Amino acid sequence: MPMTVADRSTAIPATPAARAGHAGHAPVKPKIGLALAGGGPLAAVYEIGALAAIEEAIAGLDLTDAAIYVGVSAGAIIAAGLANGLTPRQMCRLFIESDVAAEDGAALFKPETLLHPALKEFGKRARSVPGLLAGSLFHYARQRKSLAASFERMKEALPAGFLTGKAIDVFLRATFAQAGRSNDFRKLKRKLIIVATDLDTGKAVRFGEPGWDTTPISVAVQASAAVPGLFAPVVIGGHHFVDGALRKTMHASIALEEGVDILFCVNPIVPYNSTVDSGRGHGARLHGARTTGARKLAGGGLLDVLSQTLRSILHSRLETGLASYENSHPHVDILLFQPEDGDAELFFTNIFSYNNRRRMCEQAYQNTRLMLWQQRIEIDAKLARHGMRLRLPVLQDSSLSLVELTPSRRATSRLDAVLDDLERYLKVQHGV
């Protein structure tokens, strides 16, 4: 699991914390920013696991007390939770441990609720069919030319999205109704920015900033996560909004504009390298032996091809953006956490399986811990500039885990892993 740490020269100005330390005064709290990218329900699961490992392993870091949170798509869900004081472990109970009782009577999120069809959208389009058909027939009767040209307007009968993301709004609205939380950007103690794209202008809109801070957080998140073509656009103030990743993958520049000293970025989406041995990573060994050999993604059909294409585009934009940030903000340490490119489980896992969600969250947690340990010297040096440090004994403790697995759950999880490997092996052997 690679991490990018922007390299800094020893001649650069000291951070506020370092300056206060040199002056003999108590260190000044660094201004911390978090930028979380999206990528569907699986991205949220990955981010929870990675963030839990990061917070647990870094002394002096409280992920619920950052100066600014920037969230896009699935990352918007996690950013909104952190800004409301929910820790990664608490979110693990809400999103991952969905078959256990929640504390404080909080609602539990079930990904399958995202599969509800957009009935209102279907109804709206269905009602338009008679008029569109009549207009097409009338046009052809008058012109007597191209039948295709006359009936081209029938494309308007196609829905703008097949699913509704209303479940996100409902779940977050209930979650943020708990004591000490808020569904109002203006009432949060911390700055939260949720990015969505205005479909009619193609421009990114920052919910949470003045002029766009009256929209409920839950609705803004639903808009940011409305993947075009899959989810119907979300109407807010007469505007139609879709996924915030249309313009930028992460929108980390928003946090940099806030003047942060250190920026933690989590990107769950990387292109899958099918030629890499997926058993090389620590996370891949969590549930026993893996690996099946290389698989040609074209054999997986349209969905695998589209997934890989989207991942490649999003990651390429991210790399370009980070490179520009290092030039435009040379005094900010930018730490990027993302999966290994050979993580087959992250690419192929069915997110709607309870056991798969647990396994993937635990894998993200353990892989992040491993990466922090492997790069401990470099990372610790960067953190020290901001009054933080790695808890090395925590990283060395192999008994730690994020997801609670009972013996029966552990056995089921291992069985699922074996079956997944068997399925991949058979597909490789038969060229599927």
Side-chain angles (χ1 to χ4, degrees):
M1 179 175 297
M3 184 196 76
T4 300
V5 181
D7 204 7
R8 305 287 178 251
S9 166
T10 55
I12 64 176
T15 63
R19 288 196 299 269
H22 287 313
H25 300 293
V28 175
K29 181 180 178 181
K31 198 169 187 180
I32 299 172
L34 264 78
L36 307 178
L42 190 59
V45 171
Y46 172 85
E47 288 178 344
I48 290 172
L51 289 170
I54 293 168
E55 183 174 62
E56 177 184 74
I58 299 178
L61 176 64
D62 180 358
L63 291 179
T64 65
D65 193 28
I68 181 172
Y69 300 87
V70 180
V72 180
S73 192
I77 298 175
I78 308 304
L82 292 172
N84 261 287
L86 286 168
T87 68
R89 284 187 174 272
Q90 286 176 316
M91 282 190 280
C92 180
R93 288 182 61 82
L94 294 176
F95 290 93
I96 313 303
E97 299 286 1
S98 299
D99 60 346
V100 298
E103 55 190 37
D104 302 326
L108 292 171
F109 184 72
K110 298 184 181 298
E112 56 268 26
T113 60
L114 295 176
L115 298 180
H116 287 177
L119 297 179
K120 289 184 178 180
E121 176 68 12
F122 288 147
K124 172 185 173 182
R125 300 295 173 170
R127 290 191 295 271
S128 72
V129 169
L132 293 172
L133 182 59
S136 298
L137 291 172
F138 180 73
H139 183 273
Y140 181 71
R142 290 184 57 188
Q143 302 296 328
R144 294 288 182 177
K145 293 181 179 180
S146 170
L147 186 65
S150 296
F151 281 83
E152 182 181 10
R153 68 191 65 193
M154 291 301 297
K155 66 183 181 182
E156 297 178 22
L158 293 174
F162 293 94
L163 303 175
T164 175
K166 186 64 178 177
I168 296 176
D169 172 32
V170 172
F171 169 74
L172 292 181
R173 193 180 295 271
T175 300
F176 299 155
Q178 301 295 315
R181 305 170 191 168
S182 177
N183 199 31
D184 189 330
F185 285 101
R186 299 163 298 180
K187 295 181 180 180
L188 292 177
K189 297 178 181 179
R190 308 152 190 91
K191 187 168 185 178
L192 171 65
I193 302 296
I194 302 299
V195 184
T197 304
D198 188 323
L199 186 61
D200 293 314
T201 65
K203 295 182 178 180
V205 172
R206 303 176 179 182
F207 289 98
E209 290 194 340
W212 291 103
D213 55 358
T214 57
T215 300
I217 296 172
S218 57
V219 176
V221 172
Q222 179 190 351
S224 182
V227 178
L230 183 60
F231 291 98
V234 179
V235 181
I236 302 174
H239 298 260
H240 292 77
F241 291 96
V242 293
D243 200 324
L246 263 64
R247 291 300 299 268
K248 291 182 180 180
T249 301
M250 189 177 289
H251 292 273
S253 58
I254 297 175
L256 295 174
E257 292 171 9
E258 192 71 11
V260 297
D261 299 312
I262 182 170
L263 177 61
F264 292 87
C265 302
V266 183
N267 171 50
I269 301 301
V270 298
Y272 173 55
N273 185 352
S274 65
T275 65
V276 174
D277 180 5
S278 63
R280 70 182 181 181
H282 173 69
R285 298 193 298 271
L286 291 176
H287 305 281
R290 317 220 60 73
T291 77
T292 56
R295 169 183 177 180
K296 300 299 183 182
L297 292 181
L302 178 62
L303 292 182
D304 281 0
V305 172
L306 291 179
S307 176
Q308 180 75 331
T309 301
L310 181 60
R311 286 168 176 268
S312 299
I313 293 173
L314 293 177
H315 196 255
S316 176
R317 292 194 312 179
L318 177 65
E319 290 181 319
T320 301
L322 288 176
S324 68
Y325 298 154
E326 291 183 14
N327 293 325
S328 61
H329 297 79
H331 307 318
V332 180
D333 283 303
I334 303 174
L335 283 69
L336 171 65
F337 297 82
Q338 57 186 9
E340 295 176 336
D341 61 0
D343 194 336
E345 286 195 76
L346 189 64
F347 189 85
F348 295 109
T349 291
N350 172 19
I351 187 59
F352 298 104
S353 163
Y354 286 140
N355 289 322
N356 283 344
R357 293 211 306 275
R358 292 192 185 95
R359 192 170 79 230
M360 290 309 307
C361 191
E362 182 68 18
Q363 180 169 325
Y365 170 79
Q366 296 294 354
N367 280 358
T368 303
R369 281 168 43 82
L370 177 64
M371 179 277 297
L372 288 168
W373 172 257
Q374 291 175 333
Q375 302 185 36
R376 60 191 179 280
I377 297 176
E378 180 184 10
I379 296 173
D380 216 18
K382 299 300 180 181
L383 293 174
R385 287 172 32 80
H386 308 283
M388 294 179 279
R389 61 178 176 79
L390 283 175
R391 295 187 175 103
L392 298 183
V394 170
L395 292 176
Q396 290 177 297
D397 188 348
S398 60
S399 67
L400 295 179
S401 64
L402 175 61
V403 179
E404 181 181 354
L405 289 177
T406 63
S408 60
R409 284 181 181 172
R410 188 174 294 110
T412 304
S413 183
R414 288 177 178 171
L415 177 60
D416 284 345
V418 171
L419 292 175
D420 288 344
D421 281 345
L422 177 60
E423 180 181 7
R424 293 176 200 145
Y425 174 78
L426 293 174
K427 287 182 177 179
V428 170
Q429 293 300 309
H430 294 282
V432 177

